[in-house]
Amino acid sequence: MDEALLRSLTPSVLTVLVRRGADFAAAEDAVQDALVEAVRVWPADPPRDAKGWLITVAWRKFLDATRSDAARRRREDLVDEEPPSGPAPAVDDTLQLYFLCAHPSLTASSAVALTLRAVGGLTTRQIAQAYLVPEATMAQRISRAKRIVSGVRFDQPGDVATVLRVLYLVFNEGYSGDIDLAAEAIRLTRQLAAAIDHPEVAGLLALMLLHHARRASRTAPDGSLVPLAEQDRGKWDTKAIAEGVDILQAALARDRLGEFQAQAAIAALHADAPTAEETDWVQIVEWYDELTHLTDNPVVRLNRAVAVGEADGPRAGLAALAELDDSLPRHTAVAAYLHEREGDLATAARLYAEAAQHALNLAERDYLTRQAARLNTRRRR
């Protein structure tokens, strides 16, 4: 069963149902039911037209789920509108669906969460991790968003800022999480950049390209995580880096700085350094200051503490870290790294082991566990 194919077809199928009168929540449920049916049926009897099969089955699932008297009367009209049999047109509705999910009736955070769940293919747990909230809280937020948009006509698509936030989170999950969505996020952001002349769209595309350029060096052959300072820079995609830098420079020249441009500038400084030791950490701290001013995001402040530790020494980094909530994800791992740089191996080893217990994915947990073991070995010598 080609799960990637199913994920790629989901947005178009969902769009067809919404356009034909299904409210969003019912349409999503019907599409999910159709996907389950595909997993059951396709291995033994694969369809010649996968998209057409999914549209037909999802529409029938939607009709079957319509049970009230009023809905039954409406069903007679809906049957007449059922998509015709035969091959479905090859139209990519994904980006349009992103805009439709960013509906004005939803808050920005709810629109992002709904889109990630319905279109991006992320689980509620993955979305909750991205938002730094409990999974139960995110489940309630998504359910509430579905209720709000149920029955709403999607003739007022949301704004660019919300769609950019969704694309950014989808890329991050694809880059570091359990589902590979990074390439899809880049593809959609390219489409958006071609359609909209907006410096933040360009900034996001540059950021994605600069991060994606390092992907081949982020893991060892055994799948273990390789930190930036230890990556083989010869494996970096210089073509993607050059493209990202060119796009970023053009965006910055417009003098309308936004958070994605600032993040891309930081990524460009990392990409420009021939070695880790030659990284311009002073300038990176300055960009983090800009980014903090733009967003006041705790994760940004956490990353700034690391940069301060590199630019001004580990004590300065620890002082910056002390200003943050120690429950912040990766706070303990950053503290471990800065204590190690300061020479306090016992504290660093203990913190690495503690951070491993709260790692957000298996690769990160294994890396932190190895760091703790490495320091404990050094201390015993």
Side-chain angles (χ1 to χ4, degrees), residues 221-288:
D222 63 0
S224 59
L225 190 65
V226 180
L228 177 60
E230 301 173 18
Q231 289 176 13
D232 180 357
R233 299 182 180 223
K235 294 182 178 179
W236 290 2
D237 185 343
T238 55
K239 183 179 179 180
I241 290 173
E243 182 186 4
V245 169
D246 287 346
I247 293 171
L248 172 63
Q249 289 176 340
L252 291 175
R254 301 178 65 175
D255 199 24
R256 291 169 54 194
L257 184 64
E259 63 173 296
F260 294 122
Q261 295 168 72
Q263 288 191 56
I266 294 169
L269 286 168
H270 283 297
D272 187 55
T275 65
E277 292 73 24
E278 296 174 86
T279 303
D280 189 347
W281 286 106
V282 173
Q283 194 173 168
I284 287 176
V285 171
E286 293 174 355
W287 275 110
Y288 270 122

Side-chain angles (χ1 to χ4, degrees), residues 107 109-110 113 131 133 136-146:
T107 64
S109 61
S110 294
Y131 271 88
V133 300
T137 300
M138 183 53 64
Q140 293 175 352
R141 184 179 300 178
I142 294 172
S143 296
R144 188 162 54 245
K146 287 182 180 180

Side-chain angles (χ1 to χ4, degrees), residues 143-158:
S143 296
R144 188 162 54 245
K146 287 182 180 180
R147 288 197 300 271
I148 291 173
V149 299
S150 292
V152 172
R153 297 295 300 178
F154 286 91
D155 55 0
Q156 293 180 280

Side-chain angles (χ1 to χ4, degrees), residues 336-353:
Y337 173 73
L338 292 172
H339 277 290
E340 179 184 357
R341 288 203 60 222
E342 193 179 22
D344 186 353
L345 301 188
T347 299
R350 175 178 57 79
L351 290 173
Y352 275 130

Side-chain angles (χ1 to χ4, degrees), residues 40 97 116 147 212 259 268 270 294 332 338 341 378:
R40 186 182 70 83
L97 195 55
L116 290 172
R147 288 197 300 271
H212 207 59
E259 63 173 296
H270 283 297
L294 289 167
T332 306
L338 292 172
R341 288 203 60 222
R378 285 180 57 186

Side-chain angles (χ1 to χ4, degrees), residues 15 18 30 40 43 51 71 107 109 111 117 124 139 163 176 179 195 199-200 223 267 273 275 302 321 328 338 347 374:
T15 301
V18 170
R40 186 182 70 83
K51 180 178 176 181
T107 64
S109 61
R117 183 70 185 91
T124 303
V163 174
S176 62
I179 301 175
E200 272 294 83
T275 65
L302 183 68
L321 187 65
L328 191 65
L338 292 172
T347 299
R374 175 180 58 83

